[in-house]
């Protein structure tokens, strides 16, 4: 596995590989790699000749008062995990390398960024779209791999690729969970012990919400979920049922139950997606 820190080096290696007709698979991450990330890398490596993983904590997607400076980082651990999972190239740019001067242009997401996580994180998805667009320009991947854990992000990136005619196929990979159901997240290390004990309830409530939606309809289920989340110690940001991937408040063939909860040092998100014609989790 090659560790690369500059855009120019990355481009020249990939240009060479592209001339050899190699298929490039790409997994963008913010690091502190866990089994959710490594499952994306495994999937990429299975269908690519060259698997590129990036680790970049993107300042553009963090709002004021969010955890940019305290976001967990461990480069040695990440290098080991990325290599083991099958990465060929690990791209580790500094913020100065990615943004040598303040951006004069910015992508603005016109649809789907003002609901769910976007409602309480204004500008977040513009920052995500901007960095993913830059990374796609540098890597020019044939395929890129995103987690269902961040379902809104996966939906918006899929739209971006379609709107801008980018020749990258977006794969969305099921959420990897700890044994008790808590979705793997780099931020889980920041949960206090009593919060960690409570956190698996998030997935349990979302699953029950999805079952109830099938029985009593989405809006009854949504209000049940909101009550159930209010009973937890974490502060409820949102708990909603929407169509997926359109994220509208309407019934469709595929639906999502999604929630975000704020604990003392960390905000957790999770979701369950199901087909309404056949109650079955797609994860
Ligand atoms: P992050 O480093 O949190 O920005 O995540 C990088 C990629 O890994 C994103 O596409 C996430 O959706 C994905 N990811 C994060 N957690 C999980 C998980 N538990 N299971 C599957 N994918 C995940």
């Amino acid at each position: 596995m090659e560790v690369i820190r500059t855009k120019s080096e990355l481009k020249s290696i990939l240009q060479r590989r592209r001339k050899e007709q190699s298929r490039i698979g790409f997994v963008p991450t913010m690091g502190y790699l866990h089994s959710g990330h490594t499952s994306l890398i495994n999937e990429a490596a299975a269908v690519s000749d060259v698997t590129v993983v990036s680790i970049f904590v993107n300042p553009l997607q963090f709002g004021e008062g969010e955890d940019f400076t305290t976001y967990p980082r461990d480069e040695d651990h990440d290098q080991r995990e990325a290599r083991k999972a099958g990465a060929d190239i690990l791209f580790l740019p500094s913020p100065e390398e990615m943004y040598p001067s303040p951006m004069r242009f910015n992508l603005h997401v016109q649809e789907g960024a003002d609901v769910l996580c976007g409602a309480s994180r204004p500008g977040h998805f513009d920052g995500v779209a901007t960095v993913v667009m830059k990374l796609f320009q540098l890597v020019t991947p044939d395929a890129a791999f995103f987690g269902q854990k961040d379902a809104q992000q996966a939906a918006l990136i899929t739209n971006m690729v379609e709107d801008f005619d980018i020749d990258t196929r977006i794969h969305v990979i099921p959420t990897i969970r700890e044994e008790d159901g808590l979705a793997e997240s780099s931020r889980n290390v920041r949960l206090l012990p009593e919060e960690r004990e409570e956190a698996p309830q998030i997935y349990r409530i979302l699953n029950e919400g999805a079952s109830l939606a099938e029985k009593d309809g989405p809006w009854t289920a949504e209000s049940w979920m909101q009550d159930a989340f209010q009973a937890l110690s974490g502060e409820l940001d949102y708990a909603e049922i929407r169509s997926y991937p359109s994220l509208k408040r309407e019934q469709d063939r595929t639906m999502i139950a999604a929630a975000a909860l704020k604990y003392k040092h960390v905000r957790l998100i999770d979701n369950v997606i199901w087909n309404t014609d056949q109650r079955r989790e797609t994860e």
Side-chain angles (χ1 to χ4, degrees):
M1 184 182 79
E2 289 185 80
V3 178
I4 290 173
R5 294 176 196 274
T6 64
K7 296 190 278 194
S8 56
E9 218 186 324
L10 178 70
K11 274 193 184 163
S12 75
I13 289 180
L14 289 174
Q15 253 163 25
R16 227 179 309 130
R17 298 304 306 261
R18 196 163 273 297
K19 275 205 197 109
E20 300 161 359
Q21 309 287 324
S22 297
R23 272 188 64 81
I24 301 172
F26 179 43
V27 181
T29 82
M30 297 204 299
Y32 211 70
L33 301 184
H34 51 66
S35 56
H37 298 115
T38 54
S39 98
L40 302 189
I41 302 171
N42 293 153
E43 290 280 336
V47 297
S48 315
D49 302 308
V50 185
T51 301
V52 181
V53 175
S54 66
I55 295 181
F56 181 59
V57 184
N58 172 35
L60 288 193
Q61 70 191 68
F62 287 79
E64 228 168 278
E66 290 186 356
D67 56 350
F68 174 68
T69 49
T70 56
Y71 195 84
R73 292 160 166 93
D74 185 343
E75 198 183 298
D76 292 342
H77 161 88
D78 286 351
Q79 286 204 24
R80 279 195 303 275
E81 291 301 308
R83 183 179 289 114
K84 257 199 295 183
D88 300 300
I89 295 175
L90 181 63
F91 181 48
L92 287 167
S94 65
E96 296 71 33
E97 179 68 13
M98 282 301 276
Y99 303 114
S101 49
M103 291 287 281
R104 288 156 296 188
F105 288 78
N106 198 355
L107 281 185
H108 174 59
V109 185
Q110 311 255 42
E111 195 182 287
D114 54 348
V115 300
L116 304 177
C117 285
S120 56
R121 302 187 72 188
H124 167 68
F125 288 112
D126 290 353
V128 170
T130 301
V131 78
V132 172
M133 181 64 101
K134 271 172 79 77
L135 289 165
F136 279 8
Q137 298 296 325
L138 294 167
V139 178
T140 59
D142 296 286
F145 298 77
F146 291 85
Q148 188 199 303
K149 156 89 187 331
D150 299 277
Q152 186 172 14
Q153 169 174 279
L156 298 178
I157 296 295
T158 303
N159 293 348
M160 180 179 90
V161 161
E162 217 176 281
D163 280 9
F164 287 101
D165 304 301
I166 299 170
D167 284 331
T168 298
R169 178 146 182 239
I170 304 299
H171 296 248
V172 182
I173 305 300
T175 303
I176 302 296
R177 302 179 177 282
E178 302 205 14
E179 239 162 55
D180 57 11
L182 175 64
E184 288 275 8
S185 165
S186 307
R187 291 180 164 107
N188 287 351
V189 291
R190 311 206 63 235
L191 287 167
L192 302 175
E194 59 277 19
E195 295 173 341
R196 175 63 190 81
E197 209 169 297
E198 179 182 277
Q201 299 287 341
I202 301 171
Y203 183 49
R204 187 188 62 73
I205 294 169
L206 289 169
N207 262 322
E208 278 189 40
S211 301
L212 199 62
E214 288 298 281
K215 219 160 26 95
D216 297 341
W219 319 129
T220 305
E222 189 180 85
S223 83
W224 175 85
M225 277 193 336
Q226 286 167 354
D227 289 346
F229 278 117
Q230 299 284 6
L232 300 184
S233 73
E235 182 198 337
L236 182 62
D237 182 351
Y238 66 80
E240 291 189 30
I241 294 181
R242 287 180 174 262
S243 58
Y244 192 84
S246 56
L247 305 179
K248 301 217 163 93
R249 292 193 68 77
E250 60 189 30
Q251 295 216 47
D252 208 342
R253 202 171 155 260
T254 307
M255 300 292 285
I256 183 168
L261 228 69
K262 284 187 205 156
Y263 284 104
K264 185 148 188 261
H265 301 297
V266 58
R267 179 176 171 279
L268 297 185
I269 60 169
D270 200 356
N271 67 79
V272 167
I273 294 177
W274 71 98
N275 288 328
T276 50
D277 49 0
Q278 183 191 23
R279 164 79 179 101
R280 170 173 62 86
E281 245 199 272
T282 52
E283 28 185 276

